[in-house]
Amino acid sequence: MTPVSPSTLDREDTVTAAPATTATPATDTAVVRLREVCKSFGGAVALNNVSLDLYPGEVHALMGMNGAGKSTLVKVLSGVHGPDSGRIEVAGRPQSAWSTRRARRQGVSIVPQRRELVLGLTVAENIMLGDLPTRRSVVRWSSVTEIARNALAQLGIDIDVTRPAGELTVAEQTMVEVAREVRRGGRVLILDEPTACLGAAAAAQIRALVRRLRDSGVAVVFISHYIDEVLAIADRVTVLREGAVVTSYPVGATDEAGLVRDMVGRDVVSVRPARAPARDEIGLRIRDLSQGRFLDGFDVDVRDGEIVAVLGPAGDGQSRLFDLLSGRRRPDRGTLTVGGKRVPPGRVGRSLASGLRCVTGDRRRLGLVPELSVDENLVLAEDRLAGRVVQRWDRLGRRAAALRDEYRVVSLTRNPAVDRLSGGNQQKVLLAKWFATEPAACLLEDPTNGVDIAAMAEIHTLIDRLAERGAAVLLASSSCDEVMRLADRVIIVRDGRAIAEHKIDDITRDELIAAVLGGEGA
């Protein structure tokens, strides 16, 4: 199974493989060229003789597993890290003392995964930040607004520049950051996972923006775990593995299976296993769960050992389940029962005490404590739930080491801060933290968001094992492929209501997509 973006549900792009074997750039002159670049951290080699050409008017996708070197390469390109050896050329001229300031002056900019807007300022202020027009030391606010509007209009972006950035959607924040970098003179724009955590409509907006950037002559470096999206939007693909470039070709020269083989070095198949039938006992029961326009009378029974998926357009109903079931928010009405016992709504402690574990899809903000080590994050839930205030570090270390082995958490150093891990390893830490507490029931919110193909297969196996141990698993997902791989049953939601239910064995992937979109099979 390959990572499929939420945009698959309404994607208009089609990809046809072609027999070409070499990339054909939009022009013969590369705006940025890397030659035999190497970068190491301590004894660990992050980049090994990497060469890369970026051409104007081209979308160049960087692909590879977590830890393949993409992040380091992006940081070298944007000047965060200087190369240990090799050279960087801009418009054919070698660059020395490469830094973020020099990279920006040369038109190389990055829009990172973690948005960097000042949320309390307006869109216009964010676009003009650091470059406010003044007259006699007084800011010309009318010019700020006019310039910001023009910057957005040139890219076909329709956003009110007087709105506070904190009121924007994630997709709108991405667009504002792109407009800011282009206005500053960005000729090479690095987009790091720009559609991660976005629904179909928002992802389509970002893809359209990328195409407009390409058509305006910008060299776009595009990083995504969604293989279908890369094949639909990129002109050229470079694959990294273990810090080295293994291949580079025009996108028409490959398909999903070939790209996965290049990334992993082998075929990767996530096969639905033969699981034991679910038990008769109802492990998780939800009745009449409602909140505003997001959920309206939602009902579901999940038996012990069963995986039931809730699937709909991203943000439609299933996105509120985490807050409501975990106790972070109180529903307007509805009841929750775990193992036959009622759980009071809106109380996190009572939800945890019932044996219900809710694993967020936002691991950075709600799932992990970035400043703590991997070991501390692994044992955090066990320690707190057991009520032990003082712990022996050697005991915690032994427990964490066992979880590292069981969940195959890999890091370059023995016990770094958890935010130093790759996305796939961070996700495995999050799952291990909660799965190790032996939950009676578990809500999983997009459990493979932002992970590579190999980590996805491992995580699917971990979820299978959780169900085999008898947990009642509710999967809130926006991926049809993931639902087909994991679930025993699927509930289709639209406009906050459950509109259909299917056994996975009774429906095909295409029928499931049609049901979500409101076509035949709903």
Side-chain angles (χ1 to χ4, degrees):
M1 173 180 165
T2 55
V4 177
S5 68
S7 57
T8 299
L9 297 181
D10 70 346
R11 197 185 81 187
E12 296 178 356
D13 312 285
T14 58
V15 179
T16 303
T21 57
T22 59
T24 304
T27 175
D28 292 335
T29 305
V31 61
V32 172
R33 177 169 283 151
L34 274 62
R35 283 294 174 267
E36 298 178 348
V37 167
C38 296
K39 184 67 182 178
S40 297
F41 299 95
V45 176
L47 295 177
N48 184 13
N49 290 317
V50 170
S51 295
L52 186 72
D53 293 332
L54 302 177
Y55 293 93
E58 182 178 74
V59 178
H60 194 137
L62 290 182
M63 300 295 288
M65 307 288 288
N66 285 324
K70 300 190 302 296
S71 295
T72 303
L73 179 56
V74 162
K75 288 177 180 177
V76 169
L77 274 171
S78 58
V80 175
H81 296 322
D84 296 337
S85 62
R87 68 183 188 275
I88 299 173
E89 299 175 2
V90 178
R93 297 179 180 177
Q95 303 294 310
S96 60
W98 191 246
S99 65
T100 53
R101 180 175 295 181
R102 180 178 287 272
R104 192 175 292 278
R105 282 205 303 263
Q106 295 290 345
V108 181
S109 301
I110 181 172
V111 176
Q113 272 187 277
R114 301 182 188 184
R115 304 296 173 252
E116 294 183 341
L117 298 180
V118 181
L119 301 183
L121 298 183
T122 66
V123 169
E125 290 167 331
N126 272 282
I127 290 175
M128 300 299 295
L129 200 59
D131 191 27
L132 294 172
T134 60
R135 177 181 294 163
R136 296 176 183 175
S137 302
V138 177
V139 176
R140 300 167 56 194
W141 291 109
S142 60
S143 295
V144 170
T145 301
E146 181 182 358
I147 294 171
R149 282 190 181 127
N150 288 337
L152 293 174
Q154 287 176 5
L155 294 176
I157 301 171
D158 183 16
I159 296 175
D160 182 357
V161 298
T162 65
R163 288 175 63 192
E167 294 181 0
L168 303 180
T169 65
V170 175
E172 288 173 332
Q173 289 179 9
T174 300
M175 293 178 188
V176 170
E177 288 206 50
V178 167
R180 179 176 65 190
E181 298 307 325
V182 172
R183 193 203 71 81
R184 288 173 172 174
R187 296 184 295 161
V188 176
L189 192 58
I190 304 164
L191 300 179
D192 189 2
E193 299 281 0
T195 61
C197 304
L198 297 185
Q205 288 180 304
I206 299 301
R207 290 199 310 277
L209 176 59
V210 171
R211 293 188 180 99
R212 289 196 294 271
L213 289 169
R214 177 192 61 195
D215 295 343
S216 69
V218 174
V220 180
V221 179
F222 192 82
I223 301 172
S224 175
H225 282 300
Y226 300 135
I227 292 177
D228 67 321
E229 180 172 65
V230 166
L231 293 176
I233 201 170
D235 301 298
R236 197 156 47 117
V237 177
T238 292
V239 179
L240 296 172
R241 195 190 316 145
E242 297 179 352
V245 173
V246 294
T247 188
S248 184
Y249 40 57
V251 72
T254 190
D255 56 15
E256 289 192 7
L259 187 50
V260 170
R261 280 194 300 272
D262 289 334
M263 291 166 58
V264 183
R266 56 182 171 81
D267 289 322
V268 177
V269 181
S270 183
V271 179
R272 179 180 173 85
R275 284 198 305 265
R279 304 169 191 177
D280 293 333
E281 296 81 8
I282 302 298
L284 177 66
R285 171 167 285 167
I286 299 170
R287 286 290 179 272
D288 198 29
L289 190 66
S290 304
Q291 187 197 42
R293 61 183 178 85
F294 299 100
L295 277 176
D296 183 11
F298 181 75
D299 296 337
V300 65
D301 286 340
V302 186
R303 293 180 294 165
D304 291 339
E306 185 181 31
I307 301 177
V308 175
V310 182
L311 178 66
D316 192 356
Q318 74 272 22
S319 61
R320 286 301 169 109
L321 288 174
F322 174 80
D323 282 347
L324 298 178
L325 299 187
S326 67
R328 291 185 74 242
R329 294 193 184 193
R330 184 183 293 271
D332 296 335
R333 66 180 189 273
T335 61
L336 170 64
T337 304
V338 178
K341 297 181 180 179
R342 289 278 292 272
V343 179
R347 299 176 66 178
V348 175
R350 294 295 293 273
S351 179
L352 289 170
S354 73
L356 175 62
R357 304 290 178 261
C358 296
V359 183
T360 177
D362 188 352
R363 60 177 174 267
R364 288 191 178 93
R365 190 169 63 93
L366 298 175
L368 301 171
V369 183
E371 299 81 7
L372 295 184
S373 69
V374 171
D375 287 0
E376 288 170 313
N377 273 277
L378 281 167
V379 301
L380 197 59
E382 287 188 89
D383 185 31
R384 177 168 54 81
L385 293 176
R388 296 188 292 270
V389 178
V390 179
Q391 280 284 0
R392 290 180 55 185
W393 286 106
D394 59 344
R395 183 183 304 164
L396 293 184
R398 288 195 298 271
R399 176 58 177 153
L403 290 174
R404 279 169 169 269
D405 290 341
E406 182 180 353
Y407 289 84
R408 299 180 66 178
V409 177
V410 179
S411 59
L412 291 176
T413 57
R414 198 202 72 79
N415 188 26
V418 75
D419 64 351
R420 299 291 299 275
L421 298 183
S422 66
N425 281 294
Q426 286 183 20
Q427 189 68 16
K428 286 189 280 187
V429 170
L430 176 62
L431 295 175
K433 180 180 81 169
W434 291 118
F435 287 8
T437 64
E438 296 296 333
C442 188
L443 169 70
L444 297 173
E445 184 182 41
D446 278 324
T448 57
N449 179 51
V451 308
D452 62 45
I453 184 67
M456 177 182 292
E458 290 183 302
I459 288 169
H460 286 169
T461 299
L462 295 174
I463 295 169
D464 291 330
R465 292 175 185 170
L466 179 67
E468 288 169 357
R469 294 201 298 265
V473 180
L474 186 63
L475 172 67
S477 180
S478 55
S479 168
C480 287
D481 279 7
E482 184 158 78
V483 168
M484 294 297 296
R485 162 61 180 83
L486 288 172
D488 300 298
R489 288 185 290 131
V490 56
I491 296 172
I492 310 297
V493 293
R494 193 181 307 138
D495 298 328
R497 296 185 62 85
I499 62 167
E501 179 178 326
H502 301 277
K503 291 182 178 179
I504 288 297
D505 292 340
D506 296 339
I507 192 170
T508 67
R509 178 184 182 275
D510 289 346
E511 289 170 341
L512 183 58
I513 291 174
V516 173
L517 295 178
E520 294 299 324

